[in-house]
Structure formats: structure tokens, C-alpha cells
Amino acid sequence: MTVNNTVLEEGIMQIPQWWTCPSGYEELQEKAHLVGKNELLPRASISDQQSLYPRESLRKIAEAGFGAVTVPASDDGLEAGFTGFAVLAETFAQYCASSTMCWVMHTAATQTLYAAGNPEQRRRFIPGVLKGEVGGLAFSEPATGSHFWNVVSSAPRHGDGYLLNAHKSFVTSAGEADWYIVCTNSPDSKLDDKLMFLLVHNDQEGLEFFPFNAMGLRGNSSGPMKFNDVFVPTNNRIGTEGGMNYFNDNVIDPLFLLGTAACWTGVAQGALNAAIDSAKKKVHADTGKSVASYQVIRHELAKAQILIDSSRSIVYRVAQGLDQLVKNGEKIGDHLLPVWQAKTHAADIVIQVTNQALQVSGGRGYLTGQVEKFLRDGRAGAVMGPTNEILREWIGRSLIEVPWFE
Ligand SMILES: Cc1cc2nc3c(=O)[nH]c(=O)nc-3n(C[C@H](O)[C@H](O)[C@H](O)COP(=O)(O)OP(=O)(O)OC[C@H]3O[C@@H](n4cnc5c(N)ncnc54)[C@H](O)[C@@H]3O)c2cc1C
């Protein structure tokens, strides 16, 4: 029997594909599931247990054609837009949150280089990225914490370049990326906005890396970095000397927030999938019933799935909205409120859903394994900047028509 294109088999209601995937992106999603199942999942728990950077997984992602997904096809990118990027992030995250977050940061770094960089810089870096080179974003500093757009470090002019001194508190792929876009201040800039982006190679002199010992995302190598008297030639300045706040609002924030929102949604779905599997398989010998046969458990699964789909719906609606803004030639930075909502909601529900998944899985859910790993990984969402407190404040201020950026 078919109802509204939904095939009903023996009374089982199928989940329609249009509900879980934006129209036109089905093939991309299927390809991402294959990469996730075959390449990311088998390495995920090793990466977690040994705090091992997911280099091989990232290489496989690039080999599958996802090294530069937001870069236009004219420069050999996938030109998948915000929607394609979100579909990939959500799907990869159902298998491995660590490699997904490294890839999200890499994609945001690559797009920043592409959007703010000049043609020579694009020619120099994009081919490497397509082959699997990894980029990182070094923004947050201990001095200003969550306010990662207000850095205190600086890089004065020095010969034909800049002398960078900066202390960064968290850098995903620290010590592992091939290059970093470092956000700093230019004391020599004539502009009011002193923000400047410098590209630093991983093997340059003066870089120090520190370990990342964390609750989750243990493969990410998101530790602190120090840049001590690092010389950066002018041709590695990405964009202008100062004035780079524009790229924070129009490139980095939208991509990073959407990508992480998609990632936390995928983590929640991955945890719930594992919990459903466990609830169906575990049968009590005394009652002869599976855990899934208890109605209270089924209600918990249903509540969790509705939360995930609420987040997924927001993520894809925002992604499609952003793609439309680009088509219309509008400034994304004037439309950030929906992106803030997407990230806040996803980072909230992943905490709730992974807790539900653990509860449904019982004591086995508490043991080292898929569900507890997703719970630990997903907890990062709310504390990653802009944190949920800051985003809620910006949303609330916007609602009462008070400037959000004060
Ligand atoms: C796993 C992981 C990976 C990361 N990767 C990167 C990366 O690749 N690049 C990068 O640049 N950064 C990265 N970060 C840093 C991240 O973006 C945040 O800057 C960082 O998590 C904030 O932590 P903090 O200890 O500095 O917070 P603090 O600023 O000390 O905040 C502490 C608390 O105060 C709240 N708070 C702070 N300011 C306000 C405010 N104005 N209003 C209301 N509440 C406020 C916060 O929400 C939080 O609850 C990463 C962080 C993590 C956890």
C-alpha cells in the first residue's frame, strides 16, 4: 500500500526520505553514509580510546571528493553549498564525531582562505586541500575565552611580513593540520577593525603545541597552541591588514555554526540508532520480552527522535536559506539569527538525546562503547564558541531590538 508516496510494509511506517534529506541531495547523503560506515566508523573508537588524530578518516573523506565542498566547481571544488555541507556533516557525525568536527573546521578554514584569499593563494592551497591536506582555525585565546572574535594577540609589520606572537586556547587539529588561519590584530592597520588573518604552516619555526585531554572528541587534537615570534610573509596574509571582522560574520560564523549544528544532530541520531539496536536485541530471559517491547522505552525513543528531527528541520531550512541568500547576492552576516538558533538547539538536544540513549541502553549504555562515546562527544557542542549562553543572549537581544554585538 502507498500513502503520500510512503510505502507501508506489513504495517510498518517507513521514514520518508524527504523528511531526513533535503530534496536533490539524496545521492550525496547515500555516498556520505558509505564513507561513514566503511571508513569512519571502524576507526572511531580507536581514535577515541587512544586520543588518535583521525588522519586516515580525513584522507578517506578527501578521497571521496569532500576535501573542498564549498569551493566553486570552477576551482575544482564540489560546490555543494551550505546544504550539501550540512548533509555531509550530519551524516558523517552519525559514525564519528571527531573526524566530522575536524572536517567541519577544515571546511570553514578552506572557505575562509578561498573567500578572503587572492587568486595566487587559491592556486597555492586549494589543490593540496583536494588531495587531503587539512586546514585549521586558530582563533580563541585564553585572555578572551568564548569571545573568540575579540583576540588580544598582535602581529606588527616586520620586514616583508609580520611577526606573530599569539597564545591560542583551543585549536582543532593542533599539530596535525597542514596550515592554520590565525586570527590576530594588526597594530599597523589604519582601519578601526584591526582584525587580521595570517596563514601559518604547521612546520614553521616558533610553533608550540599542547595536548588535548578531554571528555570527548578525543581524536580532535583541539589543544592549545603558542606562536612565538613566528614570521609570516605578506603573501600569507589572507585578506586585508585589518578589517577581517566581515569574514567572521559572513564566512566563518555561518559555516562553523551550521556545520556544528549538523554535527550535533548527527551525533544525536548516531546515539539513538545505537540505542534502538540495543533495545531490540536485548531480551530478558524471565519475561521473554525485548527491552524495546516496553512501552515506556518506546516513548523515550519517540521523544528522542522528535527532538532530533526538530533540529534536523532547522538545520536544513537554515542551510537552504543561506544558499538562497548567496544566489540572491545578499549579505549572510545580516541573517545570522537563524544560524544561531540552529546551533543552540542542536547543541541542547544532543545533550538530552544522548542521555536518553544511554538510559534506554541501561548499564550496557554506561559501559565504554558507542552510546557513552556519543554522549561525551556531543557535550562539546554547548561550550564551543559562540557558546549556547552567548547565542541565547544574542537571540534574546535581537528579539527585544537591542544590538547583539555590544
Ligand atoms: C572541543 C573543542 C574544540 C575547539 N576548537 C576550536 C578551534 O578549532 N578554534 C578555535 O578558535 N577555538 C576552538 N575552541 C574554543 C571554543 O570556540 C570556545 O572559545 C571555548 O570553548 C570557550 O571556552 P572558555 O573556557 O574560553 O570559556 P569562557 O569564556 O571562560 O566561558 C565560561 C562560561 O562563561 C560563559 N560566557 C562567556 N562569555 C559570556 C557572555 N558574554 N555572556 C554570557 N555567558 C558568557 C560561557 O558560555 C561559559 O559557560 C574549541 C573548543 C572545544 C571545547
Side-chain angles (χ1 to χ4, degrees), residues 69-110:
V69 293
T70 53
V71 168
S74 55
D75 279 297
D76 300 324
L78 192 65
E79 200 170 322
F82 285 100
T83 310
F85 170 56
V87 166
L88 290 166
E90 198 236 300
T91 311
F92 291 158
Q94 295 183 28
Y95 303 95
C96 176
S98 271
S99 35
T100 307
M101 272 314 300
C102 292
W103 178 79
V104 163
M105 299 309 288
H106 157 79
T107 303
T110 300

Side-chain angles (χ1 to χ4, degrees), residues 101 105 136-142 144-149 168-173 212 214 216-217 220 222-223 256 264 380-391 393-394:
M101 272 314 300
M105 299 309 288
L137 289 173
F139 279 53
S140 309
E141 299 188 348
T144 46
S146 312
H147 308 162
F148 63 83
W149 53 93
K168 299 293 175 181
S169 45
F170 297 87
V171 181
T172 292
S173 303
F212 178 61
L217 296 177
N220 275 33
S222 295
F256 167 73
W264 310 129
V383 295
M384 284 181 78
T387 63
N388 276 19
E389 286 73 26
I390 291 177
L391 289 174
E393 178 64 7
W394 289 349

Side-chain angles (χ1 to χ4, degrees), residues 156-282:
R157 282 184 200 158
H158 184 84
D160 184 22
Y162 301 91
L163 201 62
L164 171 67
N165 277 286
H167 185 180
K168 299 293 175 181
S169 45
F170 297 87
V171 181
T172 292
S173 303
E176 303 286 352
D178 294 277
W179 47 264
Y180 310 89
I181 293 183
V182 182
C183 179
T184 190
N185 288 295
S186 163
D188 304 304
S189 174
K190 301 275 179 287
L191 302 168
D192 289 342
D193 166 19
K194 305 283 178 209
L195 227 56
M196 176 167 72
F197 294 170
L198 298 178
L199 188 146
V200 176
H201 291 275
N202 193 45
D203 56 4
Q204 273 187 245
E205 250 177 70
L207 268 62
E208 268 187 281
F209 309 101
F210 300 88
F212 178 61
N213 289 319
M215 171 183 177
L217 296 177
R218 292 177 55 79
N220 275 33
S221 189
S222 295
M225 277 181 78
K226 276 188 182 166
F227 298 82
N228 307 307
D229 284 338
V230 175
F231 176 72
V232 182
T234 308
N235 68 352
N236 278 355
R237 188 189 72 217
I238 306 295
T240 47
E241 191 180 72
M244 295 305 284
N245 240 324
Y246 173 88
F247 288 91
N248 263 347
D249 291 349
N250 288 279
V251 178
I252 296 177
D253 273 7
L255 268 176
F256 167 73
L257 290 171
L258 180 73
T260 54
C263 176
W264 310 129
T265 308
V267 165
Q269 187 68 71
L272 186 63
N273 291 347
I276 290 170
D277 191 49
S278 150
K280 279 159 73 177
K281 282 186 183 148
K282 173 76 183 276

Side-chain angles (χ1 to χ4, degrees), residues 58-59 61-63 65-71 75-77 103 106-107 109-111 113-114 121-136 178-179 199:
L58 291 170
R59 204 171 59 79
I61 289 176
E63 270 175 24
F66 304 135
V69 293
T70 53
V71 168
D75 279 297
D76 300 324
W103 178 79
H106 157 79
T107 303
T110 300
Q111 186 59 24
L113 187 149
Y114 188 84
Q121 290 169 331
R122 290 174 181 178
R123 279 196 299 277
R124 205 154 30 106
F125 291 100
I126 300 301
V129 160
L130 290 166
K131 286 192 208 124
E133 285 180 8
V134 174
D178 294 277
W179 47 264
L199 188 146

